[in-house]
Amino acid sequence: MTDETDERGSARRERRKPETSAMPPVRGAESEEGAAAATPADRAPAGGFRHWRRQRPFVGGLLVALGGIEMFFSGQLDIGHLHVQLGIEGLQATIIPIALLLLGILAITMPAHHVFYGILALVVAIYSLIGVNLGGFIVGMLLAGTGAVLVVAWMGPRVPAPEVAESTT
């Protein structure tokens, strides 16, 4: 890239196309036919998951789902004589983790509603403090709460900056 300064003194960047001789050769292809066979569709699987993951609140949804899974297994545990359950025996210890797991998956699969799913997950995670063995012995509540905050704070997919067309005046 090079910097040029226009008459107003602001810098403008231009992109240079790479020279064809500087490009690395295609694996196993020495001729033009082999180079034509390597299309962007051939290289898509390598960056496909990375691209998909960046288009949604993946880390936050994953943390919410992991918090739900941790709460589910902590509801089935007895650590010595410490077994805290309030409400209908076992119902909250099953419903709350399933709800968190579902909210985490929904936040990942439907990123357009990330604020709604994140707020619900945060409320359910805080309620799990009294509903599921002190929120999965605090660890599940912290995982789900942190994930819910990340889901709500997600800014959406990055859109590349549009290139400004040069005026010929």
Side-chain angles (χ1 to χ4, degrees):
M1 283 196 231
T2 60
D3 290 337
E4 293 181 6
T5 307
D6 60 5
E7 59 272 358
R8 289 178 278 167
S10 62
R12 180 180 71 220
R13 294 188 180 259
E14 292 182 3
R15 293 186 179 262
R16 289 186 184 176
K17 292 185 180 180
E19 298 176 13
T20 55
S21 62
M23 299 207 39
V26 178
R27 275 188 283 153
E30 307 297 332
S31 65
E32 292 292 321
E33 299 149 10
T39 62
D42 294 337
R43 288 179 243 127
F49 177 72
R50 182 180 298 146
H51 176 72
W52 178 84
R53 186 191 72 208
R54 289 181 179 171
Q55 300 298 314
R56 51 202 73 240
F58 184 76
V59 174
L62 185 67
L63 285 176
V64 170
L66 286 176
I69 291 170
E70 196 278 332
M71 279 185 209
F72 181 77
F73 288 117
S74 74
Q76 313 302 322
L77 291 178
D78 284 329
I79 298 179
H81 294 287
L82 180 64
H83 189 79
V84 180
Q85 294 233 353
L86 300 174
I88 301 173
E89 185 69 30
L91 185 62
Q92 288 182 358
T94 304
I95 299 289
I96 291 174
I98 289 173
L100 284 172
L101 181 66
L102 183 65
L103 286 169
I105 291 170
L106 286 173
I108 292 171
T109 57
M110 294 194 293
H113 307 291
H114 68 97
V115 174
F116 177 70
Y117 296 135
I119 290 173
L120 279 179
L122 188 58
V123 169
V124 172
I126 291 172
Y127 180 72
S128 73
L129 188 62
I130 60 170
V132 183
N133 286 346
L134 295 173
F137 301 114
I138 307 294
V139 174
M141 184 191 71
L142 289 177
L143 277 173
T146 304
V149 169
L150 288 174
V151 168
V152 171
W154 182 65
M155 296 298 293
R158 292 183 182 172
V159 178
E163 294 188 21
V164 179
E166 294 184 30
S167 61
T168 57
T169 57

